[in-house]
Amino acid sequence: ELKGIMAQTMGDDYIEVDCIHDGGADDPSHTNVQVQQSHVIVPTMDRYVSSVVEIVRMAMQQEKSPKIVVFFVTARMVQFYSEMFNEALKIPVIELHSKKSQSYRTRASDNFREAESAILFTSDVSARGVDYPGVTQVIQFGLPSSREQGRDQS
C-alpha cells in the first residue's frame, strides 16, 4: 500500500533504499512491517487547520500515555500550531524547529525524550539521526521536502 502511494506522489525516478539491511520488507523484523501506517487526504485547504486538530486529538485518545511526534513542513507551521495548541486549546506540546536556538532545541529534545507521555511538534530538524524512545505515533502533515526526509521520519 505504501509503495503505491509513493509511486503516485513521487517522481518516476524515485528509488527504494533499505537502510537497515535486515532481509527486506518481507522480514517480520523490518520496522515498516511492524508499524501500522496510514494516510488521510484532507479534501480542501479550508479544512486543514481543523483536520490537524482533529487528527492530533484522535492520536492522543488512542493510547493511555501517548508519545506523539508531529512533523510539519516548515518552522512557521510548527510555531503556528504550537501556539494554537498551547495557548488556545490548552493542549501542551513541545515546539522544536530551526528558528529556535541550539540550547532551546537541545532542551526541548531532551524533555521529549525523557517524557513518558508528550507531544512534539517539529520540522525536519528532528528528521535525521534523532531517536526518541517510546514514541507511539508519528504524524506528518504535508509532504516532506525530500525523499530522504520522509524516509528518516519513519
Side-chain angles (χ1 to χ4, degrees):
E1 182 178 335
L2 182 59
K3 286 183 183 182
I5 295 167
M6 289 172 57
Q8 291 174 352
T9 58
M10 301 220 174
D12 293 335
D13 63 340
Y14 86 90
I15 58 171
E16 182 180 343
V17 178
D18 180 5
C19 299
I20 303 171
H21 306 294
D22 62 356
D26 296 330
D27 184 339
S29 66
H30 203 273
T31 302
N32 68 358
V33 173
Q34 297 177 25
V35 176
Q36 179 183 348
Q37 298 185 28
S38 61
H39 71 283
V40 175
I41 298 173
V42 178
T44 67
M45 289 307 288
D46 296 348
R47 295 238 10 217
Y48 195 84
V49 172
S50 62
S51 294
V52 169
V53 173
E54 184 178 342
I55 290 168
V56 172
R57 281 187 168 157
M58 284 175 47
M60 292 169 56
Q61 294 171 355
Q62 290 178 352
E63 301 286 334
K64 181 180 176 186
S65 295
K67 191 165 185 181
I68 304 167
V69 179
V70 181
F71 286 98
F72 294 95
V73 294
T74 67
R76 289 195 190 276
M77 288 180 75
V78 174
Q79 183 179 18
F80 171 79
Y81 283 104
S82 294
E83 288 177 9
M84 178 196 301
F85 273 73
N86 284 321
E87 295 173 22
L89 301 174
K90 304 298 184 205
I91 298 172
V93 300
I94 299 169
E95 177 181 356
L96 181 61
H97 55 78
S98 60
K99 304 286 187 208
K100 296 290 188 182
S101 69
Q102 182 60 50
S103 62
Y104 178 95
R105 293 193 311 249
T106 300
R107 199 167 48 254
S109 184
D110 289 345
N111 288 343
F112 184 72
R113 185 176 290 107
E114 294 167 7
E116 186 175 315
S117 177
I119 302 171
L120 175 68
F121 282 6
T122 188
S123 60
D124 62 350
V125 75
S126 293
R128 289 197 90 115
V130 179
D131 184 32
Y132 295 120
V135 171
T136 58
Q137 289 205 26
V138 176
I139 302 170
Q140 167 76 48
F141 287 105
L143 294 175
S145 60
S146 70
R147 290 180 217 146
E148 290 77 21
Q149 244 180 8
R151 182 181 62 235
D152 292 335
Q153 291 171 2
S154 61

